[in-house]
Amino acid sequence: MARAIEWIEPDGAVGVLRLLDQTALPLEERMLEISSVDELIDAIQRLAVRGAPALGAAGAYGVVIAMQQAAREGWDQQHLADAITRIAYARPTAVNLAWGARRVDAVRGGGMELVLLEAHAVAREDEAANRELSRLGADWLLATLGDRPLRAITHCNTGALATSAWGTAYGILRELHDRGRLEMVHVDETRPLLQGVRLTSWELQRDGIDHVVQCDGAAASTILRGLVDFAVIGADRITANGDAANKIGSVGVALAAKRAGIPFVVAAPYSSVDERTATGDEIEIEERSDAEVLQFGGVSVAAPGVRAFNPAFDVTPHDLIAAIVTERGVVEPSDADVPLFMTETTRD
Ligand code: MRU
């Protein structure tokens, strides 16, 4: 399994955050060693590290990096707090980033050793959550669709690369495959940054899982032609009423799945649930540069002066979602506007 994010402590040296640079995949497996706040923010914003749960771990280890830099450079407490805030909000949509940073920041008073232990706990718990939700998701799908090999469609990348380990929606595919219940997967290419064709396909190939890659524009037709039995995606933020933000293009898959009468499943660790936000309308959607849409492989494909609209995420309303799977269980949203996730003391 690929390791997207890992804390390493080379012999005798201070620890650094090692990232698998996802901008270089699948052509090159390039590692980055991150030891400053600006390096980490740059890696997050370039999507060298990406995917909501992996961003949660990046936020958590970011507090360690900020404390190390503060000690090296003699920052005062305010400078350190500001640096942690900059990490927490380096990208706005995935709630996990700020959640991971805030959770570890809360133990900062206990010193570096405690902070590092808490960051390790964030990463460790993410893997455990992903493995559990994968079991629950596979159980739900086989109970709903029948105990038989299933064909899936997925969007973006939700595998080990997007998490501390294992994967979310991808973890369910992995679990079905291990049980001999996954026939094949349709992978949306996921414009504009191609997480599907570059990353999901790379992971599926390494795991020996049969799949085809298709243009995002093929998704609705694939579903309406009956070529898949279910759709499964991850989430960057799930609000209290069950609306789910995920990579741009997800809501189109959900609409087609609803029309075709196949389940559209959202899978995420509970750290992606934002109980304090009532509905998806309140989620800040990251807008990225025009160049990501107007260029292909660094070469402009549009006439000079053309402008782009490049939201990185969309929101799927809960009534299009058949099941939300977290490590805490499976929730089946309905048309009724009832809060599905209640505010808990576990979130500050
Ligand atoms: O812009 P990205 O690549 O960070 O977007 C990632 C996604 O939309 C994922 O589907 C989501 O974070 C879930 S990852 C388990």
Side-chain angles (χ1 to χ4, degrees):
M1 207 185 340
R3 278 270 166 198
I5 180 163
E6 201 171 13
W7 186 260
I8 55 163
E9 293 180 355
D11 278 349
V14 289
V16 291
L17 187 61
R18 187 161 68 185
L19 302 177
L20 175 54
D21 184 349
Q22 297 187 36
T23 65
L25 287 172
L27 301 179
E28 196 189 330
E29 290 180 41
R30 181 197 301 155
M31 306 310 293
L32 300 174
E33 291 195 354
I34 305 290
S35 56
S36 77
V37 169
D38 285 347
E39 283 172 352
L40 179 60
I41 290 172
D42 180 59
I44 290 170
Q45 292 179 340
R46 288 190 304 111
L47 274 55
V49 60
R50 50 148 296 281
L55 290 174
Y61 286 117
V63 178
V64 183
I65 288 169
M67 286 175 72
Q68 286 178 334
Q69 192 173 359
R72 268 196 323 268
E73 299 180 11
W75 294 353
D76 62 24
Q77 286 303 311
Q78 189 57 51
H79 191 145
L80 174 56
D82 290 347
I84 292 169
T85 302
R86 283 203 297 127
I87 294 169
Y89 297 99
R91 292 185 75 192
T93 305
V95 69
N96 312 60
L97 176 58
W99 168 83
R102 279 204 306 260
R103 174 170 157 181
V104 174
D105 193 31
V107 303
R108 183 151 52 93
M112 181 61 99
E113 207 172 317
L114 193 63
V115 165
L116 188 55
L117 282 176
E118 190 70 5
H120 288 327
V122 167
R124 201 178 50 243
E125 288 169 23
D126 181 50
E127 174 169 1
N130 295 336
R131 287 180 184 271
E132 179 61 13
L133 73 86
S134 297
R135 275 190 289 275
L136 295 172
D139 288 348
W140 186 89
L141 282 162
L142 296 175
T144 304
L145 295 170
D147 191 5
R148 60 186 171 93
L150 299 171
R151 301 157 304 163
I153 183 169
T154 194
H155 194 78
C156 199
N157 172 265
T158 60
L161 291 172
T163 60
S164 298
W166 189 254
T168 59
Y170 188 102
I172 293 177
L173 298 175
R174 203 191 278 280
E175 177 75 21
L176 287 170
H177 174 72
D178 290 350
R179 296 187 195 180
R181 294 291 182 274
L182 185 63
E183 193 175 313
M184 56 90 62
V185 186
H186 282 255
V187 179
D188 287 347
E189 65 172 349
T190 318
R191 284 276 294 150
L193 295 181
L194 306 178
Q195 288 92 334
V197 61
R198 291 191 306 105
L199 308 178
T200 303
S201 176
W202 182 75
E203 289 198 59
L204 287 165
Q205 198 169 58
R206 283 163 61 111
D207 291 338
I209 298 178
D210 190 25
H211 66 283
V212 287
V213 170
Q214 61 184 25
C215 302
D216 293 352
S221 157
T222 295
I223 292 169
L224 294 178
R225 287 172 64 191
L227 300 180
V228 291
D229 302 301
F230 71 97
V232 65
I233 62 160
D236 289 85
R237 188 183 296 243
I238 300 169
T239 54
N241 71 339
D243 295 347
N246 193 57
K247 179 56 55 194
I248 190 76
S250 299
V251 69
V253 177
L255 284 162
K258 186 77 168 180
R259 177 69 165 75
I262 65 168
F264 179 86
V265 176
V266 173
Y270 204 82
S271 56
S272 300
V273 175
D274 179 4
E275 299 154 339
R276 291 185 308 181
T277 299
T279 75
D281 297 344
E282 296 166 50
I283 298 174
E284 182 181 348
I285 301 294
E286 176 184 4
E287 294 218 5
R288 297 184 58 86
S289 78
D290 287 19
E292 290 179 355
V293 175
L294 301 177
Q295 296 180 357
F296 219 87
V299 177
S300 184
V301 290
V306 170
R307 293 180 302 131
F309 175 52
N310 188 16
F313 301 97
D314 59 28
V315 176
T316 298
H318 59 274
D319 58 293
L320 298 179
I321 301 172
I324 298 174
V325 187
T326 75
E327 71 276 21
R328 298 190 187 181
V330 180
V331 173
E332 298 180 18
S334 69
D335 290 346
D337 253 335
V338 291
L340 294 174
F341 302 102
M342 311 301 274
T343 305
E344 288 195 7
T345 48
T346 49
R347 302 179 78 83
D348 59 351

